[in-house]
Amino acid sequence: MSTDTTSAIGQVEGEGATRHYDVDNPAPYIEAPRKRTGKTPKSTRGNFEMAAWLFMRLSGVVLVVLVIGHLLIQLVLDGGVSKIGFAFVAGRWASPFWQTWDLLMLWLAMLHGANGLRTVINDYAERPNTRLWLKGLLYTATVFTILLGTLVIFTFDPNIR
Amino acid sequence: MATPVLDKTEETSGASPYITVTFRIRRFNPEVSEHAVWEDFQLEIDPKERVLDGLHKIKWDQDGTLTFRRSCAHGICGSDAMRINGKNRLACKTLIKDINPEKPITIEAIKGLTVLKDLIVDMEPFFQAYRDVMPFLVTKGNEPTRERLQSAEDRERFDDTTKCILCAACTSSCPVFWNDGQYFGPAAIVNAHRFIFDSRDEAGEQRLEILNDKDGVWRCRTTFNCTDACPRGIEVTKAIQEVKRALITRRF
């Protein structure tokens, strides 16, 4: 477990001392987190993390308007939740404005939530396999919901039997 | 009676200032057992003394095998950061009376780094992250014959982050670092901030690029644990957000 740091700054106290963990010296082994080798890339996917961070802020602001407006119309104004029925939805989706509203809300909310869960998985799932499966499940569910929702909004037929 | 005043004070201060406190210390010795155990120590101590004094009393009078780091013992060197009553603090800046001595005082090593023995952790990953952000002045061109001058306002810009003593209290209080040691951690970002916002330095762009990494500033979840833990009162989370802002405004 030598620290192969290709740093130009030179050796620092304690570095280079090899430590052995075996039966006589069973310290819990944590792999050196910032181990640097010659093959370690200098920068990795940096811009994606920045874009994701920025997207969370911007989509959050837009979603506040979209979701509160949506809740007001659906649940509070003009008779509240009791008015919602097939006819009500069909009437709303007859207008391109509400189609766009719902489409935007669907995409932003799903991506916002999925990205949030991605960071939660990154922070809490410790084993690589757990991470892989949780993220796989998350991405599958996200893509499925977004595609199905988009399909319904675009191909909605008010005269369906 | 050459010194009557001294005699008198000795008589009047009959009540002992000492109280009995219990130190509950997380002991770990890899040569004895692979498990860490809590061990209680009872000691008589003045509540106005510091936790470090209590640790000294234990090491010198009760159990010489107790192992911990300390150098200056006055909050400057940053050697004795430890988790006292569940919070990261410097043992040399924490008074016994401030941390509820009626109950046992729990003392353990800082989290997220490999424990080597008792309260000593392997600081190498922490310093590796520190070295990765190039914590030194980088300039181009000819060396000036005099010192590099700077206005008071330019100095004020990064004044807060010059106070860091590299004790690792912030980094080892960060939940993101606990789970993934690849994260640079607050301390490295604070020390990058100190040079990024220094008007004399010319490698700010390079440092920003390093912190733009996927293990860089974007992993910060603004939980403010680092700001709470910093024994020097540095607004660590604010510094991290300033680096984020610099990264965003640089691009757009």
Side-chain angles (χ1 to χ4, degrees), chain A residues 22-39:
Chain A
D22 50 35
V23 181
D24 301 321
N25 203 14
Y29 179 72
I30 299 177
E31 196 178 322
R34 299 206 63 78
K35 207 154 133 183
R36 284 284 180 278
T37 61
K39 285 175 191 130

Side-chain angles (χ1 to χ4, degrees), chain A residues 3-7 34-43:
Chain A
T3 43
D4 287 337
T5 46
T6 50
S7 156
R34 299 206 63 78
K35 207 154 133 183
R36 284 284 180 278
T37 61
K39 285 175 191 130
T40 309
K42 279 276 172 277
S43 159

Side-chain angles (χ1 to χ4, degrees), chain A residues 124-140:
Chain A
Y124 286 95
E126 291 186 22
R127 278 171 305 174
N129 254 336
T130 323
R131 247 178 223 216
L132 183 77
W133 282 105
L134 285 177
K135 280 191 190 172
L137 192 67
L138 172 69
Y139 295 154
T140 316

